[in-house]
Amino acid sequence: MATGVKTRVKLPKQVRAGEVVTIKTLITHRMESGHRLDSDNQPIPRSIIHRFLCEFEGELVIDLDIGPGISTNPFFEFQALVPGPGVFTFIWFDDDGAIYTDSRAISVMS
Amino acid sequence: MTWNRRKFLGAATGALSAPAVLAEGSGKPRVVVVGGGAGGGTVARYIAKDSDGAIDVTLIEPSQVYFSCFFSNLYIGGLKSIDEIGHTYGALAANYGINVIHDWAVAVDRVDKNVTLAGGQVLPYDKLILSPGIDFIEGSVPGWDLSVQTKMPHAYEAGSQSQLLRAQIENMPEGGVYAMVAPPNPYRCPPGPYERISMVAHVLKATNPTAKIVIADPKPKFSKMALFEDGWATHYPGLIDWIGEDFGGGDVSVDPDQMMLTIDGEEMAVDVCNVIPAMKAGRIAELAGVTDGRWAPVNSADMSSKTDPDVYVLGDACQQGDMPKSGFSANSQAKVCANAVRGSLTGSRIFPPRYANTCWSLIAVNDGVKVGATYEATEEKIARVDGFVSQVGEDANLRKTTYEESENWYAAITADMFH
Amino acid sequence: MMPTKVAVLIMRGICKRWALKDCGSKVRKAMLAICACFGILPVAGARAEAKDGDVELGAYLSAECVTCHQVNAQTEEIPQIAGLDPNAFMAAMQAYKAKQREHPIMQMMAGRLNDEEIVALAAYFSTLE
Ligand SMILES: Cc1cc2nc3c(=O)[nH]c(=O)nc-3n(C[C@H](O)[C@H](O)[C@H](O)COP(=O)(O)OP(=O)(O)OC[C@H]3O[C@@H](n4cnc5c(N)ncnc54)[C@H](O)[C@@H]3O)c2cc1C
């Protein structure tokens, strides 16, 4: 398993119903492209986050296929319309089979 | 007054030789330099060396020993001793006849053209050169001020602050937390905080592997970011947690008594808190009335102040354009300034300005990277012309050579300032 | 109706391959071509000699060199200045300028020296012990 993986998410805790919010996510990850050689000139095996998913109460918000050209510690920023209170779930899929998740509840002002 | 050969030559061939200004007393024109660091040391040395005694050069610097910030991160990483980054002023006095006064400049009278020292002495000048480095902006990190710098050191002026920070890191409890509050732009040495993180990680990995490093950063990205992130992932996986602007890294306060750090509303207990506040020009630049906002604007042709043609500002304190605030930049600016000042006082030839910078950073032992550029003087500013930066994924031998090169550079540039 | 919608997507530091590429590569290539032309001239043509150089200009320019190169101390990676053979020095500068010789800093520093300046440096260096 990749070492030192840490996820980070930022979005407002509370919004008005129907408001569009900006969501920022980051995962601390090596993102080894598979194109590099080690000191013995052997290829370093690819090990990247190849897919990132965000859902809101089971509805898909964004689903990304990620290639080996993405730099270390991938950062994504996107916007989503929040229809009502609920929970955003974030899922990162690692080449090595590991799955990292994070979630954030958002409430709606009355 | 004696005409030495160089001066005579200069006066005879110089295109626009200004009349020499004669100060009372010695009969020689007088240059006063405030600050004996990267910029001040270099400019005093070059003016004195190249004028062969035709100019009276006084250097004002409170400290007997200058501890360079450059390589102070390597001291924190245990790769250099404190003595290796300390430099004295004896050679400047002995080799070039520079009058070194260990005191603070506390006031500048630009009308009568003199500088007052804390000890009461008043020094007249024909040309005044300020290279006072930086001061911190009060209140830029809520909860922090200079009175708590012994609890939460900045170590952004080297010497006792570096020693304190190193001792704090060495005494961290097992599994403890080292936090850095990184500064907003513009600040001294753009890669400096991140080289420091690398060196702290180097120490902790060996002595306290369960410890953590947290960086609260008001910036969305930083100098050589790709190189540092790649290097951190390689050498120190899982050890370093960088919280940039996007994740609230700019919303920070500290509580020095409780050793608490709050980032984006979340409070955490920390064992070492390295607070590097926002910066501005060293206070004397402000007292001299040559600052506009935080920095002192200068003309790109000769580093003279935009406020006063007889005052020059070098290094971190000046606002010149594209050059980063580095020791290399200060040294480069000092040489252009020295040539211009000498020319205007003695009629020696003034050559077109040329500036350059290279900053080396050490990510881990034998893993050095560098970034550099050349600059030219335009009407408006010192503008970047050409440059290079190390690449992600370079081979280990090149990185080792780059580190060794930086050691050679350190020996050369400090000789160029102080010997 | 979709309860949520994706509006904007920004990825930072998107592509390693882009980062590797020098944004100024066109400028670079043009410079290279220009440098290569000029670089050949003094060697093949009139053959500038160090003794013709402007020593005072050389002294001024040399201030840039001594930031890294000591005059009289040889260090591991960075050679000293004193004792350099003037012709070898001039050839080396032209080679860096034309990017025929590797080293990012030297290519950058030599890249902005014109022929007169290279000769001036050689002239000044030959006055050093
Ligand atoms: C951690 C760190 C790492 C760095 N690494 C590098 C590096 O690798 N390469 C590089 O090129 N640069 C590096 N730098 C940057 C470099 O240290 C500064 O840019 C450089 O020192 C600026 O020179 P200066 O002359 O403006 O100021 P300084 O070198 O700070 O000198 C200012 C001097 O003025 C004196 N002074 C201030 N006020 C007064 C007064 N009123 N009267 C008299 N004297 C006064 C001070 O005592 C001080 O000695 C680093 C900085 C830091 C903090």
Side-chain angles (χ1 to χ4, degrees), chain B residues 231-305:
Chain B
W232 293 346
T234 303
H235 300 294
Y236 321 112
L239 183 55
I240 300 167
D241 188 10
W242 178 76
I243 304 173
E245 185 201 30
D246 291 305
F247 297 95
D251 178 12
V252 174
S253 65
V254 296
D255 180 345
D257 290 331
Q258 305 298 321
M259 284 305 283
M260 297 298 273
L261 167 65
T262 305
I263 306 172
D264 197 27
E266 265 177 61
E267 211 179 24
M268 66 194 292
V270 294
D271 298 291
V272 176
C273 197
N274 179 192
V275 176
I276 309 175
M279 296 168 208
K280 61 179 181 180
R283 210 156 285 124
I284 192 70
E286 202 176 318
L287 293 174
V290 294
T291 52
D292 178 9
R294 289 158 64 175
W295 312 101
V298 293
N299 294 304
S300 58
D302 60 359
M303 305 302 296
S304 61
S305 160

Coordinates of all heavy atoms in Angstrom, one line a residue, chain B residues 231-305:
Chain B
G231 N 10.1 15.3 -3.6 CA 11.2 14.9 -2.7 C 10.7 14.4 -1.4 O 11.1 13.5 -0.8
W232 N 9.7 15.1 -0.9 CA 9.1 14.8 0.4 C 8.4 13.4 0.3 O 8.6 12.5 1.2 CB 8.0 15.8 0.9 CG 8.6 17.1 1.2 CD1 10.0 17.4 1.4 CD2 8.0 18.4 1.4 NE1 10.2 18.7 1.7 CE2 8.9 19.3 1.7 CE3 6.6 18.7 1.3 CZ2 8.6 20.7 1.9 CZ3 6.3 20.1 1.6 CH2 7.3 21.0 1.9
A233 N 7.8 13.1 -0.8 CA 7.1 11.8 -1.0 C 8.2 10.7 -1.1 O 7.9 9.6 -0.6 CB 6.2 11.8 -2.2
T234 N 9.3 11.0 -1.6 CA 10.4 10.0 -1.7 C 11.1 9.8 -0.4 O 11.2 8.6 0.0 CB 11.4 10.5 -2.8 OG1 10.8 10.8 -4.0 CG2 12.5 9.5 -3.0
H235 N 11.5 10.9 0.2 CA 12.4 10.7 1.4 C 11.6 10.6 2.7 O 12.1 10.0 3.7 CB 13.3 11.9 1.5 CG 14.2 12.1 0.3 ND1 15.2 11.1 0.0 CD2 14.3 13.0 -0.6 CE1 15.9 11.5 -1.1 NE2 15.3 12.7 -1.5
Y236 N 10.5 11.3 2.8 CA 9.8 11.4 4.1 C 8.3 11.1 3.9 O 7.4 11.9 4.3 CB 9.9 12.8 4.7 CG 11.3 13.4 4.5 CD1 11.5 14.5 3.7 CD2 12.4 12.9 5.2 CE1 12.8 15.1 3.5 CE2 13.7 13.4 5.0 CZ 13.9 14.5 4.2 OH 15.1 15.1 4.0
P237 N 7.9 9.9 3.4 CA 6.5 9.7 3.1 C 5.7 9.7 4.4 O 6.1 9.1 5.4 CB 6.5 8.3 2.5 CG 7.8 7.6 2.8 CD 8.8 8.8 2.9
G238 N 4.6 10.4 4.3 CA 3.6 10.4 5.5 C 4.0 11.4 6.6 O 3.3 11.5 7.5
L239 N 5.2 11.9 6.5 CA 5.7 12.8 7.6 C 5.2 14.2 7.6 O 5.0 14.8 8.6 CB 7.2 12.7 7.6 CG 8.0 13.4 8.7 CD1 7.6 12.9 10.1 CD2 9.5 13.2 8.6
I240 N 5.0 14.7 6.3 CA 4.7 16.1 6.2 C 3.3 16.4 5.7 O 2.9 15.8 4.7 CB 5.7 16.7 5.1 CG1 7.2 16.5 5.7 CG2 5.5 18.2 4.9 CD1 8.3 16.7 4.6
D241 N 2.6 17.3 6.4 CA 1.3 17.6 6.0 C 1.2 19.1 5.7 O 1.3 19.9 6.6 CB 0.3 17.3 7.2 CG -1.1 17.4 6.8 OD1 -1.4 17.6 5.6 OD2 -2.0 17.3 7.8
W242 N 1.1 19.4 4.4 CA 1.1 20.8 4.0 C -0.3 21.3 3.8 O -1.1 20.7 3.0 CB 1.9 21.0 2.7 CG 1.9 22.4 2.2 CD1 2.6 23.5 2.7 CD2 1.1 22.9 1.1 NE1 2.3 24.6 1.9 CE2 1.4 24.3 1.0 CE3 0.2 22.4 0.2 CZ2 0.9 25.1 0.0 CZ3 -0.4 23.2 -0.8 CH2 -0.1 24.5 -0.9
I243 N -0.7 22.3 4.6 CA -2.1 22.8 4.4 C -2.0 24.2 3.8 O -1.6 25.2 4.4 CB -2.7 22.9 5.8 CG1 -2.7 21.6 6.5 CG2 -4.2 23.5 5.7 CD1 -3.2 21.6 8.0
G244 N -2.3 24.3 2.5 CA -2.2 25.5 1.8 C -3.4 26.4 1.9 O -4.4 26.1 2.7
E245 N -3.4 27.5 1.2 CA -4.5 28.4 1.3 C -5.9 27.8 1.0 O -6.9 28.1 1.7 CB -4.3 29.5 0.3 CG -5.3 30.7 0.3 CD -5.3 31.5 -1.0 OE1 -5.1 30.9 -2.1 OE2 -5.6 32.7 -0.9
D246 N -5.9 26.9 0.1 CA -7.2 26.2 -0.3 C -7.8 25.5 0.9 O -9.0 25.3 0.9 CB -7.0 25.3 -1.4 CG -6.6 26.0 -2.7 OD1 -7.4 26.9 -3.1 OD2 -5.5 25.7 -3.3
F247 N -7.0 25.1 1.9 CA -7.6 24.3 3.0 C -7.5 25.1 4.3 O -7.4 24.5 5.4 CB -6.9 23.0 3.0 CG -7.2 22.1 1.8 CD1 -6.3 22.1 0.8 CD2 -8.4 21.5 1.7 CE1 -6.6 21.4 -0.4 CE2 -8.7 20.7 0.5 CZ -7.8 20.7 -0.5
G248 N -7.4 26.4 4.2 CA -7.5 27.3 5.3 C -6.1 27.6 6.0 O -6.1 28.1 7.1
G249 N -5.0 27.3 5.3 CA -3.7 27.5 5.8 C -3.4 28.9 6.1 O -2.5 29.2 6.8
G250 N -4.2 29.8 5.5 CA -4.0 31.3 5.8 C -4.7 31.8 7.0 O -4.5 32.9 7.5
D251 N -5.6 30.9 7.5 CA -6.4 31.3 8.7 C -5.9 30.7 9.9 O -6.3 29.6 10.3 CB -7.9 30.9 8.4 CG -8.8 31.3 9.5 OD1 -8.4 32.0 10.4 OD2 -9.9 30.7 9.6
V252 N -4.9 31.4 10.5 CA -4.1 30.8 11.6 C -4.0 31.8 12.8 O -4.0 33.0 12.6 CB -2.7 30.6 11.1 CG1 -1.8 30.1 12.1 CG2 -2.7 29.6 9.9
S253 N -4.0 31.2 14.0 CA -3.6 32.0 15.2 C -2.9 31.0 16.1 O -3.0 29.8 16.0 CB -4.9 32.6 15.9 OG -5.7 31.5 16.4
V254 N -2.1 31.6 17.0 CA -1.3 30.8 17.9 C -1.5 31.3 19.4 O -1.9 32.4 19.6 CB 0.2 30.9 17.6 CG1 0.5 30.3 16.2 CG2 0.7 32.3 17.7
D255 N -1.3 30.3 20.3 CA -1.4 30.6 21.7 C -0.1 30.1 22.3 O 0.1 28.9 22.6 CB -2.6 29.9 22.3 CG -2.7 30.2 23.8 OD1 -1.7 30.6 24.4 OD2 -3.8 29.9 24.4
P256 N 0.9 31.0 22.4 CA 2.2 30.5 22.9 C 2.2 29.9 24.3 O 3.0 29.0 24.5 CB 3.1 31.8 22.8 CG 2.3 32.8 22.0 CD 0.9 32.4 22.1
D257 N 1.4 30.4 25.2 CA 1.4 29.9 26.5 C 0.9 28.4 26.6 O 1.5 27.6 27.3 CB 0.5 30.7 27.4 CG 1.1 32.1 27.7 OD1 2.3 32.2 27.7 OD2 0.3 33.0 27.9
Q258 N -0.1 28.1 25.8 CA -0.6 26.8 25.8 C 0.0 25.9 24.7 O -0.3 24.7 24.6 CB -2.2 26.8 25.5 CG -3.0 27.7 26.5 CD -2.9 27.1 27.9 OE1 -2.9 25.9 28.1 NE2 -2.7 28.1 28.9
M259 N 0.9 26.5 23.9 CA 1.5 25.8 22.7 C 0.4 25.2 21.8 O 0.4 24.0 21.5 CB 2.5 24.8 23.1 CG 3.8 25.3 23.6 SD 4.6 26.4 22.3 CE 5.3 25.2 21.1
M260 N -0.6 26.1 21.5 CA -1.7 25.7 20.6 C -1.6 26.4 19.3 O -1.2 27.6 19.3 CB -3.0 26.0 21.3 CG -3.3 25.2 22.6 SD -3.3 23.4 22.3 CE -5.0 23.2 21.9
L261 N -2.0 25.8 18.2 CA -2.0 26.4 16.9 C -3.4 26.1 16.4 O -3.9 25.0 16.4 CB -1.0 25.7 16.0 CG -1.1 26.0 14.5 CD1 -0.8 27.5 14.2 CD2 0.0 25.2 13.8
T262 N -4.1 27.2 15.9 CA -5.4 27.0 15.3 C -5.3 27.3 13.8 O -4.9 28.3 13.4 CB -6.4 28.0 15.9 OG1 -6.4 27.8 17.4 CG2 -7.8 27.7 15.4
I263 N -5.7 26.3 13.0 CA -5.7 26.4 11.6 C -7.1 26.2 11.1 O -7.8 25.2 11.3 CB -4.8 25.3 10.9 CG1 -3.4 25.3 11.5 CG2 -4.8 25.5 9.4 CD1 -2.6 24.1 11.0
D264 N -7.7 27.2 10.4 CA -9.0 27.1 9.9 C -10.0 26.7 10.9 O -10.9 25.8 10.7 CB -9.0 26.2 8.7 CG -10.2 26.3 7.8 OD1 -10.8 27.4 7.7 OD2 -10.6 25.3 7.1
G265 N -9.9 27.3 12.1 CA -10.9 27.0 13.2 C -10.6 25.8 14.0 O -11.2 25.5 15.0
E266 N -9.6 25.0 13.5 CA -9.3 23.7 14.3 C -8.1 23.9 15.1 O -7.0 24.2 14.6 CB -9.2 22.6 13.3 CG -10.5 21.8 13.1 CD -10.3 20.7 12.1 OE1 -9.4 19.8 12.3 OE2 -11.0 20.7 11.0
E267 N -8.3 23.6 16.4 CA -7.2 23.8 17.3 C -6.3 22.6 17.4 O -6.9 21.5 17.5 CB -7.7 24.2 18.7 CG -6.9 25.1 19.5 CD -7.5 25.4 20.8 OE1 -8.4 24.7 21.3 OE2 -7.2 26.5 21.4
M268 N -5.0 22.7 17.5 CA -4.2 21.5 17.7 C -3.0 21.9 18.7 O -2.5 23.0 18.7 CB -3.6 21.0 16.4 CG -2.7 21.9 15.7 SD -2.4 21.4 13.9 CE -1.5 19.9 14.2
A269 N -2.6 20.9 19.5 CA -1.5 21.1 20.4 C -0.2 20.8 19.6 O -0.2 19.8 18.8 CB -1.6 20.1 21.5
V270 N 0.8 21.6 19.7 CA 2.0 21.4 19.0 C 3.2 21.5 20.0 O 3.1 22.1 21.1 CB 2.2 22.5 17.9 CG1 1.1 22.4 16.8 CG2 2.2 23.9 18.5
D271 N 4.3 20.8 19.6 CA 5.4 20.8 20.5 C 6.5 21.9 20.1 O 7.2 22.4 20.9 CB 6.1 19.4 20.5 CG 5.1 18.4 21.0 OD1 4.8 18.5 22.2 OD2 4.5 17.6 20.2
V272 N 6.6 22.1 18.8 CA 7.4 23.2 18.3 C 6.6 24.0 17.3 O 5.8 23.4 16.5 CB 8.7 22.6 17.5 CG1 9.5 23.8 16.9 CG2 9.5 21.8 18.4
C273 N 6.6 25.3 17.5 CA 5.8 26.1 16.6 C 6.7 27.2 16.0 O 7.1 28.2 16.6 CB 4.7 26.8 17.3 SG 3.4 27.4 16.2
N274 N 7.1 27.0 14.7 CA 8.0 27.8 14.0 C 7.2 28.9 13.2 O 6.8 28.6 12.1 CB 8.9 26.9 13.1 CG 9.9 27.7 12.2 OD1 10.5 27.1 11.3 ND2 10.2 28.9 12.5
V275 N 7.1 30.0 13.8 CA 6.2 31.1 13.2 C 7.1 32.0 12.3 O 7.9 32.7 12.8 CB 5.4 31.9 14.2 CG1 4.6 33.0 13.6 CG2 4.5 31.0 15.1
I276 N 6.8 32.0 11.0 CA 7.5 32.9 10.1 C 6.5 34.0 9.7 O 5.7 33.7 8.7 CB 8.1 32.2 8.9 CG1 8.9 31.0 9.4 CG2 9.0 33.1 8.1 CD1 9.5 30.1 8.3
P277 N 6.5 35.1 10.3 CA 5.4 36.1 10.0 C 5.7 36.8 8.7 O 6.7 36.6 8.1 CB 5.6 37.1 11.2 CG 6.5 36.6 12.1 CD 7.4 35.6 11.4
A278 N 4.7 37.6 8.3 CA 4.8 38.5 7.1 C 6.0 39.4 7.3 O 6.3 39.8 8.5 CB 3.5 39.2 6.8
M279 N 6.6 39.9 6.2 CA 7.8 40.7 6.3 C 7.7 42.0 5.6 O 6.9 42.2 4.8 CB 9.0 39.9 5.7 CG 9.3 38.7 6.5 SD 10.4 37.6 5.6 CE 9.9 36.0 6.3
K280 N 8.6 42.9 6.1 CA 8.7 44.2 5.5 C 10.2 44.6 5.5 O 11.0 43.9 6.2 CB 7.9 45.3 6.2 CG 8.3 45.4 7.7 CD 7.4 46.5 8.4 CE 7.9 46.6 9.8 NZ 7.1 47.6 10.6
A281 N 10.6 45.7 4.9 CA 11.9 46.2 4.9 C 12.4 46.5 6.3 O 11.6 46.9 7.2 CB 12.1 47.5 4.1
G282 N 13.7 46.2 6.6 CA 14.2 46.6 7.9 C 13.9 48.0 8.3 O 13.9 48.9 7.5
R283 N 13.6 48.2 9.6 CA 13.0 49.4 10.1 C 13.7 50.7 9.6 O 13.1 51.7 9.4 CB 12.9 49.4 11.6 CG 11.7 50.2 12.2 CD 11.3 49.6 13.5 NE 10.6 48.4 13.4 CZ 10.9 47.2 14.0 NH1 12.0 47.2 14.8 NH2 10.2 46.1 13.9
I284 N 15.0 50.6 9.6 CA 15.8 51.9 9.3 C 15.4 52.4 7.9 O 15.5 53.7 7.7 CB 17.3 51.6 9.4 CG1 18.1 52.9 9.4 CG2 17.8 50.7 8.3 CD1 17.9 53.8 10.6
A285 N 15.0 51.6 7.0 CA 14.6 52.1 5.7 C 13.3 52.9 5.8 O 13.2 54.0 5.2 CB 14.3 50.9 4.7
E286 N 12.4 52.5 6.7 CA 11.2 53.3 6.9 C 11.6 54.6 7.6 O 11.1 55.7 7.3 CB 10.3 52.4 7.8 CG 8.9 52.7 7.8 CD 8.1 51.7 8.7 OE1 8.4 50.5 8.6 OE2 7.3 52.1 9.5
L287 N 12.5 54.5 8.6 CA 12.9 55.7 9.4 C 13.6 56.7 8.4 O 13.5 57.9 8.6 CB 13.8 55.3 10.5 CG 13.2 54.5 11.6 CD1 14.3 54.1 12.6 CD2 12.1 55.3 12.4
A288 N 14.3 56.2 7.4 CA 14.9 57.1 6.5 C 13.9 57.7 5.5 O 14.3 58.5 4.7 CB 16.0 56.3 5.7
G289 N 12.7 57.2 5.5 CA 11.7 57.8 4.7 C 11.8 57.4 3.2 O 11.4 58.1 2.3
V290 N 12.4 56.2 3.0 CA 12.5 55.7 1.6 C 11.6 54.6 1.2 O 11.7 54.0 0.1 CB 14.0 55.4 1.2 CG1 14.8 56.7 1.3 CG2 14.5 54.3 2.1
T291 N 10.7 54.2 2.2 CA 9.8 53.1 1.9 C 8.5 53.6 1.3 O 8.1 54.8 1.5 CB 9.5 52.3 3.1 OG1 9.1 53.1 4.2 CG2 10.7 51.5 3.6
D292 N 7.8 52.7 0.6 CA 6.4 53.0 0.1 C 5.7 51.8 0.4 O 5.8 50.7 -0.3 CB 6.5 53.3 -1.4 CG 5.1 53.6 -2.0 OD1 4.1 53.7 -1.2 OD2 5.0 53.6 -3.2
G293 N 4.9 51.8 1.5 CA 4.3 50.5 1.9 C 5.3 49.7 2.7 O 6.1 50.3 3.5
R294 N 5.4 48.5 2.3 CA 6.3 47.6 3.1 C 7.8 47.6 2.7 O 8.7 47.2 3.4 CB 5.8 46.1 3.0 CG 4.5 45.9 3.7 CD 3.8 44.7 3.2 NE 4.5 43.5 3.4 CZ 4.0 42.3 3.1 NH1 2.8 42.1 2.6 NH2 4.7 41.2 3.3
W295 N 8.1 48.1 1.4 CA 9.4 48.0 0.9 C 9.9 49.3 0.3 O 9.1 50.2 0.2 CB 9.5 46.9 -0.2 CG 8.8 45.6 0.2 CD1 7.6 45.2 -0.2 CD2 9.4 44.6 1.1 NE1 7.3 43.9 0.4 CE2 8.4 43.6 1.2 CE3 10.6 44.5 1.7 CZ2 8.6 42.4 1.9 CZ3 10.8 43.3 2.5 CH2 9.8 42.3 2.6
A296 N 11.2 49.4 0.0 CA 11.8 50.6 -0.5 C 12.0 50.5 -2.0 O 12.9 49.8 -2.5 CB 13.1 50.9 0.2
P297 N 11.2 51.2 -2.8 CA 11.3 51.1 -4.3 C 12.7 51.7 -4.7 O 13.1 52.8 -4.2 CB 10.2 52.0 -4.8 CG 9.2 52.2 -3.6 CD 10.1 52.1 -2.4
V298 N 13.3 51.1 -5.7 CA 14.6 51.5 -6.2 C 14.6 51.5 -7.7 O 13.8 50.9 -8.3 CB 15.7 50.6 -5.7 CG1 15.9 50.7 -4.2 CG2 15.5 49.1 -6.1
N299 N 15.5 52.3 -8.2 CA 15.7 52.4 -9.7 C 16.5 51.2 -10.1 O 17.5 50.8 -9.5 CB 16.4 53.7 -10.1 CG 15.6 54.9 -9.8 OD1 14.4 55.0 -10.2 ND2 16.1 55.8 -8.9
S300 N 16.1 50.6 -11.2 CA 16.7 49.3 -11.6 C 18.2 49.5 -12.2 O 18.9 48.6 -12.2 CB 15.9 48.7 -12.7 OG 15.8 49.6 -13.8
A301 N 18.5 50.7 -12.5 CA 19.8 51.0 -13.1 C 20.9 50.9 -12.1 O 22.0 50.4 -12.4 CB 19.8 52.3 -13.9
D302 N 20.7 51.4 -10.9 CA 21.8 51.5 -9.9 C 21.4 51.2 -8.5 O 22.2 51.4 -7.6 CB 22.5 52.9 -10.1 CG 21.5 54.0 -9.7 OD1 20.3 53.7 -9.5 OD2 21.9 55.2 -9.8
M303 N 20.2 50.8 -8.3 CA 19.7 50.5 -6.9 C 19.5 51.8 -6.1 O 19.3 51.7 -4.8 CB 20.6 49.5 -6.2 CG 20.8 48.2 -6.9 SD 19.3 47.3 -7.3 CE 18.6 46.9 -5.7
S304 N 19.5 52.9 -6.7 CA 19.2 54.1 -5.9 C 17.7 54.2 -5.6 O 16.9 53.7 -6.3 CB 19.6 55.4 -6.7 OG 18.9 55.5 -7.9
S305 N 17.4 54.8 -4.4 CA 16.1 54.9 -4.0 C 15.3 55.8 -4.9 O 15.8 56.8 -5.5 CB 16.0 55.6 -2.6 OG 14.8 56.1 -2.3

